[in-house]
Amino acid sequence: MNINLTLFGQTIAFAVFVWFCMKFVWPPIMAALNERKEKIAQGLEAAERGMQQQEQAAAQVQEKLSEAKQQASDIINQAQKRANEIVEEAKGVAVTEGERIKAAAQSEIDKEVNRAKEQLRAQVSTLAIAGAEKVLSKEIDANTHRAALDELASQI
Amino acid sequence: MASEELTASDYIQHHLTNLTFGKHPNGEWGFAHSAQEATEMGFWAIHVDSMFWSIFLASLFLFIFHRVAKAMTVDTPSGLQNFVEWVVDFVNENVRGSFSAKNDLVAPLSLTIFFWVFLMNLMDLVPVDWLPVLAQWFGATFLGMDPHHVYFKVVPTTDPNITFGMALAVFALMLYYSIKIKGVGGFFGELAFQPFGKMGMPANLLLEGISLISKPVSLALRLFGNLYAGEMIFILIALLYSGGIVWGTLGGVLQLGWAIFHILIILLQAFIFMVLTIVYLDMAHQHH
């Protein structure tokens, strides 16, 4: 256990090793550790920001969704209304058409009646004459009694 | 192992002698062949084994840490980097907890002290005969030395030169920063005018001087004492191996138990050396 040069040998070695550690070992390790610390902090901040954005987006989606729903129901309502209108319109058209057809049929009937009347009128005189001939057993001159016959026909 | 012609005290003596290279009293330089010769060399000698292991272990530590430091990735760390980061973080926490001033030297200094002292202490767990016997074989085979004259102490921290050498460096830093921060006058004032005021200057100087000197001395002696005692117990346990199978078995059990307990001591002593260095340097930075 002699105290000798080893004492200073160790002191010098100590100084050299501490210098080396301070120059080449400590700074890069510390730099990396600090950088990582910063990176983690940034990551957390980014996550926070992402969360906020996500919340905003969710709110926006909700808004858009309700808007779309509103629009859809509006469209459906309009369509319903329009459909009703169309049905009403169709009904109206059908009624008018029916009236028109009815009117046409009525006029046709009227015409037919008139025609039948005309025909009847045309034949009445003949029938009357024939009847009168039968009654009188003699021939009546048609031309002589024309005026009376026409009068008769017009009264039918 | 103690050979036949070796007594127990020879064995212990052999284990406690450093491989010393120095100036013989007759002026020649060479290895000391006995503890007696090593003592006679006086100051002009160097403990080759202590210096070798001390420098080797520090180089190993710095080599590994430097390699990791160069390949540091900011992203997910793996393997050795985890360990290095853990150690660095541990040291950094301690420095930030105990050292209030700003000084870029203190943290790397603490890391070096902690890990270096830890590694030197760790050599204590290598069975006491392995490396000395290897060294004896090496010396006898390749250097033509008498095996009995090859001394090899593998735990540098059981050499007071090593612990005092480090404490001396710490002491130099304490003085340097005391004077740098407080100025020569401020530092002298601290020593001379406390705690009894200007009138009690001699008493103050004595008290403060002792307290100042006791810092590096206690720092060195604490580490040396703990490790020397631990080493001594390992050597005594190793003596049991020559006492037959019963004593040998007991020795094995004791060695295992002591080694497990010693893991605590070697870590603790490295930690204490580091923390006290930080505290002393912090005091050097503070005005009273």
Side-chain angles (χ1 to χ4, degrees):
Chain A
M1 250 180 287
N2 317 297
I3 293 293
N4 55 28
L5 267 183
T6 317
L7 184 72
F8 293 117
Q10 177 70 6
T11 305
I12 292 162
F14 183 78
V16 171
F17 288 131
V18 168
W19 171 81
F20 184 87
C21 184
M22 187 179 150
K23 256 308 179 273
F24 300 108
V25 175
W26 191 266
I29 294 177
M30 244 21 231
L33 288 183
N34 285 336
E35 198 178 326
R36 182 178 310 144
K37 219 181 276 173
E38 221 161 85
K39 237 177 137 177
I40 290 172
Q42 277 173 0
L44 286 175
E45 203 179 307
E48 188 75 22
R49 235 178 319 154
M51 211 103 96
Q52 273 177 5
Q53 278 174 352
Q54 198 256 344
E55 261 166 38
Q56 275 176 4
Q60 257 178 8
V61 165
Q62 206 56 45
E63 203 177 300
K64 280 262 155 68
L65 204 64
S66 62
E67 212 171 274
K69 267 185 189 158
Q70 186 61 42
Q71 265 181 4
S73 74
D74 280 359
I75 289 169
I76 289 173
N77 281 346
Q78 267 180 7
Q80 205 94 48
K81 221 168 92 190
R82 181 86 188 107
N84 285 343
E85 268 174 25
I86 289 170
V87 168
E88 288 302 317
E89 240 176 61
K91 262 190 199 159
V93 170
V95 168
T96 344
E97 184 70 8
E99 303 264 294
R100 196 180 62 78
I101 290 169
K102 225 164 90 185
Q106 196 65 51
S107 74
E108 192 75 15
I109 290 167
D110 286 350
K111 253 197 250 166
E112 282 299 316
V113 168
N114 280 344
R115 214 175 43 218
K117 272 185 184 165
E118 285 303 323
Q119 262 178 358
L120 206 61
R121 228 177 253 144
Q123 284 172 0
V124 144
S125 56
T126 335
L127 277 173
I129 290 169
E133 265 176 2
K134 285 252 170 73
V135 173
L136 297 175
S137 305
K138 79 172 199 193
E139 208 169 315
I140 296 171
D141 183 17
N143 291 329
T144 334
H145 303 287
R146 166 106 10 222
L149 289 172
D150 281 345
E151 197 189 331
L152 183 70
S154 70
Q155 276 169 6
I156 293 171
Chain B
M1 232 70 26
S3 50
E4 304 296 73
E5 66 269 35
L6 224 60
T7 65
S9 85
D10 282 342
Y11 176 75
I12 295 172
Q13 182 73 47
H14 196 272
H15 265 290
L16 293 181
T17 307
N18 284 100
L19 179 63
T20 313
F21 182 85
K23 194 178 179 189
H24 288 291
N26 63 14
E28 271 178 49
W29 286 80
F31 283 103
H33 295 298
S34 65
Q36 177 73 33
E37 273 187 48
T39 312
E40 280 164 3
M41 282 175 179
F43 187 76
W44 293 104
I46 192 155
H47 292 159
V48 178
D49 44 5
S50 293
M51 280 319 294
F52 168 75
W53 282 111
S54 160
I55 290 172
F56 172 76
L57 291 170
S59 307
L60 185 74
F61 146 63
L62 285 173
F63 172 72
I64 291 172
F65 272 55
H66 180 52
R67 238 187 53 183
V68 171
K70 268 197 306 191
M72 271 307 263
T73 59
V74 176
D75 304 316
T76 328
S78 62
L80 204 55
Q81 194 188 328
N82 272 325
F83 173 73
V84 168
E85 278 184 17
W86 175 62
V87 173
V88 167
D89 227 30
F90 170 74
V91 171
N92 199 32
E93 284 298 307
N94 272 295
V95 171
R96 276 198 301 186
S98 313
F99 190 79
S100 46
K102 173 142 181 49
N103 191 333
D104 287 339
L105 171 71
V106 174
L109 173 80
S110 306
L111 174 68
T112 312
I113 286 176
F114 177 65
F115 215 78
W116 193 10
V117 171
F118 167 69
L119 283 179
M120 291 195 285
N121 291 351
L122 194 64
M123 295 305 291
D124 214 0
L125 294 184
V126 179
V128 286
D129 280 314
W130 284 11
L131 293 169
V133 166
L134 191 71
Q136 281 183 351
W137 170 81
F138 184 84
T141 313
F142 295 106
L143 305 176
M145 296 165 88
D146 180 356
H148 290 302
H149 292 161
V150 179
Y151 299 98
F152 207 57
K153 237 176 127 187
V154 295
V155 191
T157 38
T158 59
D159 182 347
N161 287 297
I162 296 295
T163 61
F164 271 105
M166 294 174 85
L168 208 62
V170 172
F171 188 56
L173 284 173
M174 281 164 63
L175 293 182
Y176 172 71
Y177 282 115
S178 286
I179 290 170
K180 189 183 170 197
I181 304 288
K182 302 169 211 170
V184 180
F187 182 48
F188 179 75
E190 236 171 52
L191 292 178
F193 304 138
Q194 287 174 13
F196 299 127
K198 282 193 165 60
M199 299 311 288
M201 199 197 272
N204 292 339
L205 272 178
L206 186 69
L207 278 174
E208 291 291 321
I210 289 174
S211 112
L212 183 68
I213 300 294
S214 72
K215 283 172 186 166
V217 172
S218 69
L219 200 58
L221 283 181
R222 179 183 302 105
L223 180 60
F224 164 69
N226 271 282
L227 270 293
Y228 189 76
E231 173 81 343
M232 195 69 177
I233 289 175
F234 274 122
I235 294 170
L236 291 177
I237 289 170
L239 272 177
L240 291 175
Y241 291 128
S242 56
I245 188 140
V246 178
W247 286 110
T249 313
L250 179 67
V253 173
L254 282 175
Q255 185 176 352
L256 183 67
W258 182 241
I260 290 169
F261 177 63
H262 215 58
I263 294 172
L264 179 71
I265 294 181
I266 60 178
L267 262 173
L268 201 61
Q269 288 305 322
F271 178 67
I272 289 172
F273 202 107
M274 175 187 84
V275 168
L276 285 180
T277 302
I278 298 169
V279 170
Y280 290 160
L281 285 178
D282 184 47
M283 286 160 83
H285 280 74
Q286 268 166 5
H287 294 272
H288 288 285

